[in-house]
Amino acid sequence: MIPVQGFSGKRVGVLGLGRSGLTAARALQAGGATPVCWDDNPATREAAEAEGFEITELGKPGAMDDLACLIVSPGIPHLYPEPNPIIRAALVAGVPVDNDISLFFGSFATKDWDNFDVMPKVVAVTGSNGKSTTSALIHHVLQQAGRNTQLAGNIGRGVLDIDPAADGDVVVLELSSYQTDLARNLTPDVAVFTNLSPDHLDRHGGMGGYFAAKRRLFAEGGPDRAIIGIDEDEGLYLAGQLSQSAADDRVIRLSVERKLTGPGWQVFARKGFLSEYRKGRQVGSVDLRPIKGLPGAHNHQNACAAYAVCRTLGLAPKVIGAGFASFGGLPHRSQIIAKAKGVTFVNDSKATNVDAAIKALSAFKNIRWICGGLEKEGGLDALAAAAGNVVQAYVIGREAAAFAMRLGTVPSEVCTTMEQAVARAMDDAQDGDTVLLAPAAASFDQYDSFEKRGEHFASLVQTALQE
C-alpha cells in the first residue's frame, strides 16, 4: 500500500466505497489522516464500518465544515450530466475535490528514493480503446526483460494498493477519462495517448469535454516523454501542441494507417510489420504477424505504443519483440476462446463502443457477429460501412430489434439473448468462419459488466462444444 502524504491529522471525506474508494480510505488512514466515508449503498457502508472507518452522511448540513479534501470514486459524476449533490456541496464550501489517482502521484515518491541507484518511473496510458491491452503488454514485456514492474489503475490493482517503489521500479497505470478528468496531481514520467473515438459523452458534456479530460494527462502532467497516436485529428493536434519542432523527440508519434517520416521519433505498423524511425532512418522493427496475442490493426496500434514506451525505458527492439511473442492477450479483448471444426470463437466483449467493434470486425474474416446491448451516443452508422467481413449478425439486448434496424443492409437476426445468439451462430457457422462477440454497446441492459457478458459467451461456447 502507498500511505497518503500531506493529510496527517486531518479529516478527509471519501465518497464512494467501491474498490478505489475503500483503498483510498485505507491509504489515507495509513498516512495518518482520518477518513470520513460515505456511500449510497447500505451494504457497502456496513462493510467499511466493519473495518473501523467513520461513516458520515456527507450530504447533511455541516458535513463539509472540517474536511481538508473530498476524495471521489471515478464512477461518480462531478460536472456532467449534472454534479453529484455531495460534490457540489463540497465545491460550494470550498473543499477541494480530488481522487485516488491524484493521491497516488502526490504520495508515491518518498525519502527512501534518495538511496535508489535507478529512480522509479510511472507510465500512464489513456485513450478510448486499447488502454488495457497496451498497459498489460508494457507490463508483460518489462517482466520478461527482468525489470521490476507493477500494473495498476483501471486494470489490475488500485493505484494506492500497490507496493512502495523498489529501486528501478516501473509502475504502469491504465487511466480512464473519469480518472484523468478530476485528478489534481498528474505527473507521469511517460504518458501514452492511444486513440480517440466517441465514448462517455454524457459524462464529459460532449466530444470536446471528453478529449479535454484525456488531454489533462499531457497538458497538466508534463511527462518527460509523450507517446501519441496520430491517426485521429485530436491526437495529431495534441502531438503538435507538445512539440517544439519536427525534430523534438520528446514526442513519439504512432500510426497504423501510414508510414511516418521526418526528423523526429516515430513508430508505425503497416501490413503486420512494426517499424521505428529516428532522424529519418529505421532503427528497429518487429514482425507482428505471427503473434497470436495481438491480432488485427487495433492490436498493432497497441503494440506500437507499448514498443515506444519500452524503448524510452531502454529496452532493445529484440527484447521487446521477444516479449510480444509470449504475450497471450487479455480476456474479453479479441480473445480466441476455442477452435472447432474450422470455426474460431472470439470474445471481444470489451468492444463496448462502435470504434472498438469496427476494429474487431476488421481483424477477422467470414464473421458470425454477435452484437447489441445498451447503445451509446453517436449512433451505429459507421458499423454498417465497416461490416464487409460479416456474413450474419446475431443481435442481443433488450432493444435488439431497434439495434438490428440500425445496421442497415448487414444481414441480421434478432436473438435478444446470448443463449439464442450463440446457438444460432454455431448452427450457421461453416469451416473458415469466425463467431465473434463484439457488441458495439454497453452491457448494462443485461449484464453487470462487459466481463460478465464475455464470460457468459465463453461458457455457452465451451458447453456447446462439449455436447
Side-chain angles (χ1 to χ4, degrees):
M1 176 166 287
I2 308 296
V4 173
Q5 301 179 37
F7 292 98
S8 181
K10 299 179 181 179
R11 291 167 62 81
V12 178
V14 179
L15 178 60
L17 297 172
R19 183 189 72 162
S20 64
L22 199 55
T23 300
R26 294 168 184 149
L28 283 160
Q29 189 176 66
T34 299
V36 182
C37 304
W38 183 253
D39 192 292
D40 290 339
N41 187 327
T44 306
R45 294 199 301 267
E46 289 174 10
E49 192 169 26
E51 287 196 37
F53 292 118
E54 178 182 335
I55 303 298
T56 297
E57 186 178 350
L58 293 174
K60 69 181 182 182
M64 299 290 166
D65 290 350
D66 62 348
L67 296 186
C69 187
L70 177 67
I71 303 302
V72 177
S73 292
I76 301 174
H78 58 274
L79 187 57
Y80 301 114
E82 61 183 24
N84 178 279
I86 293 175
I87 294 176
R88 193 174 191 283
L91 296 172
V92 169
V95 175
V97 177
D98 212 341
N99 65 11
D100 62 326
I101 303 300
S102 180
L103 295 181
F104 166 81
F105 278 112
S107 305
F108 187 50
T110 66
K111 292 182 179 179
D112 293 340
W113 290 28
D114 293 340
N115 300 317
F116 290 164
D117 292 326
V118 179
M119 287 296 101
K121 300 283 188 182
V122 177
V123 176
V125 180
T126 196
S128 295
N129 299 306
K131 299 185 299 295
S132 296
T133 297
T134 299
S135 301
L137 184 56
I138 296 166
H139 178 63
H140 174 80
V141 172
L142 291 170
Q143 282 185 318
Q144 296 301 302
R147 299 285 292 270
N148 294 325
T149 180
Q150 301 185 72
L151 179 63
N154 209 38
I155 185 175
R157 302 160 70 181
V159 290
L160 293 169
D161 194 37
I162 67 172
D163 300 327
D167 196 333
D169 202 8
V170 179
V171 174
V172 184
L173 302 180
E174 178 197 341
L175 298 182
S176 72
S177 58
Y178 292 3
Q179 294 168 313
T180 59
D181 198 14
L182 193 58
R184 300 167 72 91
N185 292 309
L186 284 170
T187 53
D189 298 284
V190 182
V192 179
F193 178 90
T194 59
N195 51 59
L196 197 77
S197 60
D199 208 354
H200 311 304
L201 300 187
D202 57 337
R203 176 66 181 265
H204 296 294
M207 196 68 178
Y210 180 46
F211 175 51
K214 301 288 189 185
R215 181 181 174 276
R216 291 191 74 248
L217 182 63
F218 303 85
E220 300 192 26
D224 296 331
R225 189 83 65 185
I227 296 166
I228 312 291
I230 61 168
D231 287 338
E232 292 85 30
D233 286 340
E234 290 87 354
L236 190 63
Y237 174 79
L238 180 59
Q241 280 198 314
L242 298 174
S243 301
Q244 293 298 319
S245 69
D248 187 352
D249 66 1
R250 294 173 303 170
V251 177
I252 304 176
R253 290 167 170 81
L254 313 175
S255 178
V256 290
E257 293 184 355
R258 61 190 184 278
K259 178 178 179 179
L260 300 179
T261 59
W265 193 348
Q266 300 99 10
V267 179
F268 59 90
R270 298 181 70 200
K271 298 181 180 180
F273 287 91
L274 181 153
S275 299
E276 175 192 6
Y277 274 67
R278 298 190 71 172
K279 298 180 180 179
R281 66 184 185 89
Q282 185 171 350
V283 295
S285 65
V286 177
D287 184 356
L288 301 173
R289 295 174 301 170
I291 301 175
K292 295 181 179 179
L294 296 169
H298 60 304
N299 275 310
H300 293 177
Q301 183 181 59
N302 301 333
C304 287
Y307 177 95
V309 169
C310 292
R311 289 290 280 147
T312 69
L313 297 175
L315 271 62
K318 287 186 177 180
V319 173
I320 300 170
F324 284 1
S326 61
F327 181 67
L330 288 180
H332 317 296
R333 294 140 172 110
S334 294
Q335 177 192 18
I336 298 175
I337 58 172
K339 290 185 177 180
K341 297 180 180 179
V343 179
T344 302
F345 297 86
V346 179
N347 169 19
D348 202 343
S349 185
K350 184 61 171 66
T352 59
N353 60 45
V354 167
D355 188 65
I358 289 172
K359 290 174 178 176
L361 292 174
S362 69
F364 304 97
K365 304 292 184 183
N366 304 322
I367 297 171
R368 303 282 175 180
W369 177 30
I370 299 176
C371 58
L374 190 62
E375 186 179 339
K376 294 186 176 181
E377 291 185 29
L380 304 176
D381 292 347
L383 282 174
N389 292 333
V390 174
V391 178
Q392 177 81 18
Y394 306 84
V395 186
I396 64 173
R398 287 206 297 255
E399 302 297 329
F403 195 101
M405 289 182 63
R406 294 188 182 94
L407 295 179
T409 60
V410 177
S412 62
E413 179 178 335
V414 175
C415 295
T416 306
T417 67
M418 185 71 77
E419 288 87 349
Q420 185 177 353
V422 170
R424 293 291 301 120
M426 293 185 75
D427 285 345
D428 293 345
Q430 302 174 15
D431 187 358
D433 285 356
T434 297
V435 176
L436 169 68
L437 171 65
S443 61
F444 302 121
D445 60 334
Q446 293 182 313
Y447 299 92
D448 291 338
S449 65
F450 73 83
E451 292 95 339
K452 293 295 184 184
R453 177 172 59 189
E455 289 165 5
H456 189 203
F457 168 73
S459 174
L460 291 170
V461 169
Q462 296 292 353
T463 299
L465 292 178
Q466 293 170 7
E467 293 178 349

